[in-house]
Amino acid sequence: MITVIMKPISKSKLKSQLLEFLRLVESNKEEIVVTDRGKPVMKISKYSQAPSTEELFAEMHGKVKYFEDLTTPTTEEWAQL
């Protein structure tokens, strides 16, 4: 996904044209940087759902080796601390 960041927009301009800017972000996948007195304070971007755990670790599937049962209690180890 390609994201284009628009030029900074002041809070006052955003307030007066909010709906227009939100439609622009939604349709064009652009991000808006909102400024307050010339300093960036927030970024508005299109929402994208975070990847699932399966998607996140897909490339590691089948590459991890377990040398013992992962459900074995570890209370003995912690008692020593």
Side-chain angles (χ1 to χ4, degrees):
M1 176 173 101
I2 299 174
T3 303
V4 178
I5 298 178
M6 295 180 58
K7 66 180 182 175
I9 298 170
S10 68
K11 282 183 178 180
S12 58
K13 186 172 182 179
L14 178 69
K15 181 179 176 182
S16 66
Q17 299 175 331
L18 181 61
L19 189 56
E20 180 182 334
F21 286 124
L22 292 178
R23 286 183 180 146
L24 186 63
V25 168
E26 185 178 15
S27 64
N28 296 338
K29 297 182 178 143
E30 293 185 10
E31 293 181 343
I32 296 174
V33 175
V34 182
T35 61
D36 185 21
R37 296 183 182 120
K39 293 185 179 183
V41 292
M42 69 180 68
K43 178 172 60 172
I44 301 173
S45 61
K46 189 169 182 176
Y47 174 78
S48 62
Q49 195 168 22
S52 68
T53 304
E54 290 81 19
E55 293 170 331
L56 203 57
F57 294 104
E59 66 183 52
M60 296 180 70
H61 184 73
K63 296 180 181 177
V64 178
K65 295 181 182 180
Y66 301 102
F67 297 103
E68 62 182 56
D69 182 13
L70 295 178
T71 60
T72 305
T74 59
T75 53
E76 296 102 28
E77 296 173 17
W78 290 100
Q80 295 172 1
L81 296 175

